[in-house]
Amino acid sequence: MNTGDRRPLASRDTRWAQATARRLAALSVTPNQISQASILAGALAGAAFWLGGQSDDMARLLLLPGAALFCQLRLLCNLFDGMVAVEGGKASADGPFWNEFPDRIADIAIMVGIGYGIAMPGLGWAAACFSVLTAYVRELGRANEAPSDFSGPMAKPHRMAVATIAALLSSVEFLWHGRNEVLTLALAIIAIGSAATALRRAWRQVRWLRIKGP
């Protein structure tokens, strides 16, 4: 892993994150296994969104906070796989694949899960496609030898923040006799924001290439 191309994260420098990473590195857990666990977290979040969006009462109160929890677990996996690989000295030859591939699966599972949960699968697939497109443009930039672009307005941490907050708010929508309005708004924001992010990264990359010259 190229440590100069890592996503800037303030949480990486916190004591709790560094202590947890050291603990994980001391165990027999590999960075790739942590990355693979993020697929499970994403799939469970998507399933909880799907079932929670179609549920009422106690089931909704349990499932949507569960979706929020799994979204955050997905991010923790994304944080610790890199820390164990780099700071823990356990990087492997196939690490770059596992650093990226599970992210795309998790994004798709979560967005599509929300879409089916609110009975708007088309919006869910649109959000999933634009989410994957943001990463594709970034990786295209790296292939063109441009610096990795993690800019927003709807990069992965932003998407998970919106999904997490929406899940928690939507779990108590019964208080104002609502039903899935919060999740619908959140998914639309993610879809539009992700499309804007992909376009912004594409524009920044083209401008960088023009300045760099042939």
Side-chain angles (χ1 to χ4, degrees), residues 146-158:
S148 291
D149 190 349
F150 296 104
S151 62
M154 197 56 70
K156 179 177 64 181
H158 306 135

Side-chain angles (χ1 to χ4, degrees), residues 9 34 38 49 56 67 81 83 92 119 125 136 154 164 173 195 202 207 214:
L9 293 173
I34 299 173
S38 73
F49 272 121
D56 296 304
D81 60 356
M83 292 186 72
S92 62
W125 281 107
Y136 170 78
M154 197 56 70
T164 298
E173 276 185 304
R207 186 176 59 180

Side-chain angles (χ1 to χ4, degrees), residues 28-147:
S28 58
V29 178
T30 68
N32 292 350
Q33 289 172 333
I34 299 173
S35 299
Q36 291 156 7
S38 73
I39 298 179
L40 178 61
L44 290 173
F49 272 121
W50 189 338
L51 296 174
Q54 298 178 344
S55 302
D56 296 304
D57 303 328
M58 186 56 69
R60 189 179 187 91
L61 272 173
L62 293 174
L63 287 166
L64 290 181
L69 174 63
F70 287 121
C71 283
Q72 293 305 304
L73 285 177
R74 177 258 177 122
L75 286 181
L76 287 176
C77 290
N78 296 159
L79 171 66
F80 290 124
D81 60 356
M83 292 186 72
V84 172
V86 177
E87 284 85 349
K90 299 179 75 171
S92 62
D94 58 345
F97 172 84
W98 292 110
N99 189 50
E100 291 293 333
F101 182 73
D103 263 351
R104 307 294 83 78
I105 302 298
D107 261 336
I108 293 171
I110 292 170
M111 301 310 156
V112 171
I114 299 174
Y116 278 94
I118 61 175
M120 298 182 70
L123 182 58
W125 281 107
C129 289
F130 289 134
S131 297
V132 172
L133 188 60
T134 63
Y136 170 78
V137 174
R138 170 170 49 80
E139 290 304 303
L140 179 62
R142 291 180 64 179
N144 286 325
E145 300 179 350

Side-chain angles (χ1 to χ4, degrees), residues 182-200:
V182 174
L183 288 176
T184 301
L185 177 62
L187 193 57
I189 290 173
I190 291 173
I192 295 170
S194 297
T197 299
L199 288 173
R200 184 186 183 203

